[in-house]
Amino acid sequence: MNTKLYLEPDEIYLFNCGELYHSYLKMGAHIIECNSLHGTNFVVWVPEALNVCLVGEFNNWSSTDSSMTEIGTSGVWSIFIPKVLQGQLYKYEIHTKSGKVFLKSDPFAFYSEFRPATASIVWQLEGFSWQDQVWMKQRGVNVQEMPHLIYEVHLGSWRRKEDGTYYNWRTLAVELLHYVLSMGYTHIELMPIMEHPFDGSWGYQLTGFYSCTSRFGNPQDFMYFVNQCHLEGVGVILDWVPGHFCKDAHGLGQFNGSSVYENDENEQWGTYNFNFEKTEVWSFLISNAMFWLDKFHVDGLRVDGVSSMLYPDYEKPKHSWKLNINGGRENLRAVAFMKRLNEAVLQNFPDVLMIAEESTEWPLVTCPTDENGLGYNFKWNMGWMNDTLRYMGLDFPLRKDNHQLLTFSMTYAFSENYILPLSHDEVVHGKRSLIGRMPGEYSQKFSGLRSLYGYWMCHPGKKLLFMGGEFAQFIEWNEEAELDWFLLEYEMHEKLQNYVRDLNKLYCQERALWENEQDWAGFEWIDVHNHQQCILIFCRKALKKDNFLIILINFLPNSYLNFRLGVPRKGFYQEIFNSDLSIYGGNNHINSSLVGAEKVAWHGQKFSITINVAPLAIVILKPILNT
């Protein structure tokens, strides 16, 4: 065994200072050449340990003659084994100064055993032949002015084999990708695919931050999946969890017998919170973000639980947190960490998405750090989601007195770069499915869901929909079984899926719905006050002034003939979309002919038109040029 120094002194210094942002290139297990010998080098950070030994299949799990060497007093331990150990199982045996001994998985392992087994696996990431150069070159061009229509997926329950086992990445690269393409989505967002021991955590309680979960294949299989998505023009976003980690004995918790990575306990989730006071934790987490972007070519990270990192008191009783040194509620070190994270990521990968799941009123989340922002480039609009779903769940007679739930979001719509999420969190834990929230009888529920999706699609902000919502799964999401695909054998569910497909494609085709939504230049209210009829009318505008859409949404089960609405210019208007088409499950109360604008002032506009308005329906009109 050889203990030749693999990390350079400046790398160790940067790791300890919290500034080694590609630490995965040296930490963990790497097959290298050392003194003309091909072998495997192991590096792990275990501060304050008495001794650290490498154990695994290759030495019969014996710590005899497998002691690692600490590099100075850095807490970084290393050992070189003159054997190529690709595919071999291993752990670290950690001896504490108090005489206790722990077996721990490698925090930097690239691959791990399939649960419930817990060993790390030596695995090279090299050797995959990427073919996505065209995608990688163009993916981030004018990211704010491009359509983002995201399909959120939990891989273990999207579809399963007949025997109930999981699809692997290579099958998903056919089945899931084909489905996403047929539905017109631009991105897939995967709920966490990092290694986790408990399926019921949905991947949000991790043990292997650098391990692509063994549930769906090996790391190269995931590379294949991403590569195929990119070849078909579909981006891949990963959910990423830098706030906390699970307490399982083989994981990061109590890594040297006491707190190493953690600060305190996350009482809501029964996990440990990361300690952002420790600079090595910065190196670990920022490197982890870089790792998925670098080695797997993913197109963005949705950062989970940002609010709980920003505020020590977030959903906690008062006795369990302390004010910061300025007497405020903010976690100052977590704030500094997030700013540095986004600076480092976007400096190295300026074309990726860094999305904050942030549910409070923290200002400037998507502003650059040099403008006192957190540096993300998108934020989930949780306020819009909560208000909208509350409104849509109201019985029809109650809606007129709650009109502000639909309109309030426009008071802050341009304060951040928003994504409008209809996510997995809204269809679990007794909240009911989206269609299950809709009032009325059977057909009205589908009409109401179509109106919700129309409002969502036309409101400023990028879009995210959780799987199953596109065909109106009635039951809440269950991670233990695949979606209720059999529902597509029923007419209304199949028609709803067709509606979502056509709405998706309309969104991507119409630049007015995504090109110009950073300020009021791309949006104008035509009638925001019609709470009695529960009707919203507004205009969405592309960058070219003649490219705009008129959107009317009726949130009551009442129909109107010859309904007058104001329009900004003369000429003819064509109905390009109507949710009441019979092919979508409606009654064909549509406007099939061109509608000519009259010089009758209405809704503050110089011109107006009259149309027929179906119950619980959205109508989208577009001006016809050269008429």
Side-chain angles (χ1 to χ4, degrees), residues 112-278:
S112 303
E113 282 189 287
F114 183 63
R115 53 111 177 97
T118 60
S120 302
I121 303 174
V122 177
W123 201 265
Q124 290 191 97
L125 297 180
E126 291 72 23
F128 183 79
S129 179
W130 289 96
Q131 301 169 303
D132 63 346
Q133 293 81 7
V134 172
W135 169 269
M136 296 294 284
K137 185 176 181 180
Q138 60 81 38
R139 67 177 176 179
V141 177
N142 297 323
V143 65
Q144 303 296 343
E145 298 176 5
M146 297 297 291
H148 288 73
L149 187 52
I150 304 166
Y151 187 56
E152 185 189 26
V153 177
H154 178 264
L155 291 169
S157 58
W158 180 71
R159 279 193 186 273
R160 291 191 178 186
K161 299 178 184 177
E162 289 186 5
D163 62 2
T165 58
Y166 299 136
Y167 281 177
N168 61 34
W169 285 116
R170 292 178 183 264
T171 302
L172 290 164
V174 177
E175 299 290 335
L176 176 57
L177 180 57
H178 173 76
Y179 183 74
V180 165
L181 287 169
S182 71
M183 291 298 295
Y185 293 100
T186 64
H187 292 74
I188 301 170
E189 181 174 316
L190 301 175
M191 291 168 67
I193 63 163
M194 302 80 187
E195 198 57 78
H196 54 282
F198 178 47
D199 292 351
S201 77
W202 310 336
Y204 291 98
Q205 297 182 16
L206 305 178
T207 50
F209 279 74
Y210 289 81
S211 285
C212 186
T213 179
S214 53
R215 288 167 173 81
F216 312 112
N218 65 42
Q220 279 79 7
D221 293 331
F222 178 52
M223 293 177 186
Y224 177 85
F225 173 84
V226 175
N227 189 67
Q228 293 302 114
C229 288
H230 287 175
L231 290 177
E232 296 291 347
V234 174
V236 178
I237 301 166
L238 299 185
D239 274 14
W240 184 60
V241 191
H244 63 117
F245 56 90
C246 67
K247 294 181 178 180
D248 290 57
H250 66 286
L252 298 179
Q254 303 285 296
F255 200 73
N256 66 353
S258 61
S259 298
V260 174
Y261 289 89
E262 68 267 33
N263 181 10
D264 56 357
E265 294 190 17
N266 188 309
E267 298 174 26
Q268 180 184 9
W269 296 108
T271 53
Y272 288 124
N273 291 316
F274 273 107
N275 186 352
F276 295 109
E277 299 289 335
K278 290 191 176 181

Side-chain angles (χ1 to χ4, degrees), residues 294-495:
D294 176 17
K295 293 298 184 180
F296 295 96
H297 291 201
V298 301
D299 303 290
L301 301 174
R302 192 218 63 151
V303 182
D304 181 70
V306 169
S307 301
S308 65
M309 290 187 279
L310 292 175
Y311 292 108
D313 66 335
Y314 185 75
E315 296 187 351
K316 293 181 182 179
K318 289 185 177 181
H319 68 272
S320 64
W321 59 277
K322 298 179 181 179
L323 296 172
N324 63 38
I325 58 173
N326 299 325
R329 297 168 49 228
E330 305 85 359
N331 184 335
L332 298 178
R333 290 299 289 167
V335 173
F337 162 77
M338 268 184 267
K339 290 183 176 182
R340 191 66 194 107
L341 163 72
N342 288 313
E343 289 169 353
V345 165
L346 295 174
Q347 181 179 358
N348 285 268
F349 302 97
D351 51 357
V352 303
L353 307 175
M354 289 297 289
I355 305 165
E357 189 225 2
E358 207 289 300
S359 57
T360 73
E361 297 180 357
W362 189 282
L364 307 178
V365 172
T366 58
C367 284
T369 57
D370 59 6
E371 298 177 17
N372 203 32
L374 291 182
Y376 294 95
N377 49 24
F378 282 101
K379 171 184 172 175
W380 273 19
N381 193 335
M382 308 293 278
W384 172 90
M385 178 274 298
N386 284 314
D387 286 350
T388 299
L389 293 185
R390 180 183 167 196
Y391 179 90
M392 297 304 300
L394 293 172
D395 202 3
F396 302 125
L398 301 177
R399 289 186 170 183
K400 63 184 178 65
D401 294 325
N402 288 276
H403 196 65
Q404 76 284 352
L405 291 173
L406 292 179
T407 61
F408 180 69
S409 59
M410 286 308 302
T411 66
Y412 60 87
F414 309 115
S415 62
E416 304 276 7
N417 301 319
Y418 282 118
I419 292 174
L420 308 184
L422 295 171
S423 76
H424 68 275
D425 278 329
E426 310 320 315
V427 293
V428 290
H429 301 323
K431 296 177 182 177
R432 295 176 293 171
S433 65
L434 293 181
I435 193 164
R437 295 171 185 242
M438 300 297 116
E441 45 82 20
Y442 183 77
S443 65
Q444 288 177 327
K445 288 181 180 293
F446 282 89
S447 296
L449 189 58
R450 294 195 301 270
S451 67
L452 166 62
Y453 287 161
Y455 171 60
W456 166 70
M457 196 67 81
C458 294
H459 189 287
K462 311 306 181 184
K463 323 298 176 187
L464 177 142
L465 181 65
F466 183 57
M467 63 183 198
E470 75 276 14
F471 60 83
Q473 176 158 308
F474 259 107
I475 64 170
E476 288 189 342
W477 169 54
N478 175 12
E479 82 278 357
E480 296 180 354
E482 72 171 13
L483 297 177
D484 288 343
W485 294 103
F486 69 86
L487 289 174
L488 290 172
E489 298 173 13
Y490 296 87
E491 181 182 28
M492 291 300 287
H493 293 274
E494 181 184 21
K495 287 184 173 183

Side-chain angles (χ1 to χ4, degrees), residues 10-187:
D10 61 333
E11 292 175 317
I12 297 171
Y13 172 79
L14 289 172
F15 179 79
N16 287 142
C17 290
E19 298 179 8
L20 189 64
Y21 300 144
H22 296 85
S23 53
Y24 55 88
L25 297 177
K26 295 293 181 72
M27 306 289 283
H30 291 268
I31 295 172
I32 64 169
E33 182 178 345
C34 178
N35 295 336
S36 301
L37 291 174
H38 289 281
T40 309
N41 201 80
F42 298 82
V43 180
V44 64
W45 176 57
V46 195
E48 304 295 326
L50 178 66
N51 192 27
V52 180
C53 300
L54 176 71
V55 297
E57 291 182 300
F58 43 87
N59 63 7
N60 294 316
W61 299 94
S62 171
S63 59
T64 304
D65 197 31
S66 67
S67 290
M68 302 177 74
T69 300
E70 184 177 12
I71 303 172
T73 59
S74 64
V76 176
W77 300 71
S78 179
I79 190 171
F80 176 77
I81 307 296
K83 296 178 182 178
V84 174
L85 300 177
Q86 170 75 358
Q88 294 280 299
L89 304 179
Y90 72 100
K91 284 188 177 181
Y92 297 116
E93 184 179 282
I94 297 169
H95 297 250
T96 73
K97 294 176 181 178
S98 64
K100 295 181 179 179
V101 179
F102 298 91
L103 272 179
K104 290 287 187 178
S105 300
D106 187 351
F108 283 88
F110 298 151
Y111 197 30
S112 303
E113 282 189 287
F114 183 63
R115 53 111 177 97
T118 60
S120 302
I121 303 174
V122 177
W123 201 265
Q124 290 191 97
L125 297 180
E126 291 72 23
F128 183 79
S129 179
W130 289 96
Q131 301 169 303
D132 63 346
Q133 293 81 7
V134 172
W135 169 269
M136 296 294 284
K137 185 176 181 180
Q138 60 81 38
R139 67 177 176 179
V141 177
N142 297 323
V143 65
Q144 303 296 343
E145 298 176 5
M146 297 297 291
H148 288 73
L149 187 52
I150 304 166
Y151 187 56
E152 185 189 26
V153 177
H154 178 264
L155 291 169
S157 58
W158 180 71
R159 279 193 186 273
R160 291 191 178 186
K161 299 178 184 177
E162 289 186 5
D163 62 2
T165 58
Y166 299 136
Y167 281 177
N168 61 34
W169 285 116
R170 292 178 183 264
T171 302
L172 290 164
V174 177
E175 299 290 335
L176 176 57
L177 180 57
H178 173 76
Y179 183 74
V180 165
L181 287 169
S182 71
M183 291 298 295
Y185 293 100
T186 64
H187 292 74

Side-chain angles (χ1 to χ4, degrees), residues 552-585:
L552 181 150
I553 313 172
N554 177 14
F555 292 98
L556 285 184
N558 305 323
S559 61
Y560 305 98
L561 297 176
N562 299 316
F563 183 94
R564 185 171 293 276
L565 65 150
V567 293
R569 51 165 283 181
K570 63 180 180 180
F572 288 88
Y573 289 78
Q574 181 179 22
E575 181 179 274
I576 63 169
F577 197 82
N578 192 317
S579 64
D580 198 54
L581 283 168
S582 59
I583 60 171
Y584 302 144

